[in-house]
Amino acid sequence: MDVKTLCLGLLSVREACGYDLKKTFETSFKHFFPAGYGSIYPALADLAAKGLVECEEIPQVGKPDRKVYRITEAGEKAFVSALNSTEPQHKLRSEFLAMIYFADLVDDNRLMEVLDDHVEQLRETVRYIEHQERHSTKSAGASFVAGFGAVVARAAAEYIESHRHMLTDKVAIKASGEELADCKWAANS
Amino acid sequence: MDVKTLCLGLLSVREACGYDLKKTFETSFKHFFPAGYGSIYPALADLAAKGLVECEEIPQVGKPDRKVYRITEAGEKAFVSALNSTEPQHKLRSEFLAMIYFADLVDDNRLMEVLDDHVEQLRETVRYIEHQERHSTKSAGASFVAGFGAVVARAAAEYIESHRHMLTDKVAIKASGEELADCKWAANS
DNA sequence: TTAGGCATGTAAAGTGTTACATGATTTG
DNA sequence: CAAATCATGTAACACTTTACATGCCTAA
């Protein structure tokens, strides 16, 4: 299932232009399926060429014409069939975790910064999703997916906060192997 | 940070051939950074061409010569510099969640199957990581990353199990809108 | 005897990312 | 006055995936 198929799916919910779809990818799909204009516009052109969507150009002043896409019957069928035939993948590609894997080669200050940034990003995701949920009505699927994102992001943030000492305390160990007793976490564990 | 950089990183830990690296990607990196032979072998050739690794060919009978790669000093430097210069991304691309988003268009039996499969996959990930952790000693970074994977997978599995009724109970609602009181979850909420 | 492990790679196709190019209107 | 929003797209590049090609050894 690629960006093209997802655009088709979004158009099965309501008509939209490329710009609108991009916003949906940036909001509802942000935490699990990123896509940029570079994928979306060619996808729409392709769908139109295959007759799966139709396009109406609405003239505007001072802006390019707004091209509103509407799904066709063939498009609906194609989408349902795509949904039911694909074995759904679920792939994480995390440079963040890769970097952490090699934490002993990373500058300590940078490491802490990266950890802080990532936690903040996760917290922001949680806040954002929960705000969204409160202010819009969604399909069961959309709510489930949003909830999933929030729960997973929260779990990730909590893990990082409660285990980061595994990575950052090497500083204390390196600097003063004899003074381990001074480390607060060592006293607690 | 691409597959090439990660190969270099792995070679900074110990020498290995392409086949060995693939196994590491399949085990330690499985849950956060997939890579196949098609990325790994060209990456190694490239690293060697740039002088970041050296290759020793060890003759074998009945198999292609084993090409053992060792990192060079230039390679170590390049890796540390790559680690410290990249803004680490963390991208999920989930066809699974995309499919769930459009759950109302998915065949009910298939939906349940997909849900079951995904939970089982997550549970398997957790089991695998925990087994690994018990039977091998790892760097702080590697342990942190493994723990992260386990915690997040567990949270995901639990979310799916405790919220799947949001998706599957539409059957009951569709079939008998009047009998909502019979739904156990409806009584609790 | 068959499946899986060991071991190498290439080539083409598919997909996505990034940078570029344009420009009026609205909001702070 | 600057920044964000609306609105379109293309072209080059990067990277990964998939399928292909080969073949012995070992354990169940």
Side-chain angles (χ1 to χ4, degrees), chain A residues 20-59:
Chain A
D20 297 332
L21 292 178
K22 174 64 161 39
K23 277 197 297 185
T24 304
F25 275 102
E26 269 171 357
T27 54
S28 308
F29 284 20
K30 193 176 182 214
H31 58 287
F32 70 91
F33 215 110
Y37 290 125
S39 327
I40 295 169
Y41 282 119
L44 287 171
D46 228 72
L47 290 169
K50 285 182 179 135
L52 304 178
V53 300
E54 281 168 348
C55 175
E56 183 188 355
E57 284 184 56
I58 298 171

Side-chain angles (χ1 to χ4, degrees), chain A residues 17 19 41 60 66-67 93:
Chain A
C17 67
Y19 190 84
Y41 282 119
Q60 301 195 122
R66 184 179 156 93
K67 296 171 104 172
R93 186 194 171 92

Side-chain angles (χ1 to χ4, degrees), chain B residues 9-25:
Chain B
L10 253 11
L11 292 174
S12 82
V13 177
R14 71 178 60 81
E15 60 178 43
C17 68
Y19 190 84
D20 297 333
L21 292 179
K22 174 65 159 42
K23 276 195 300 184
T24 303
F25 275 102

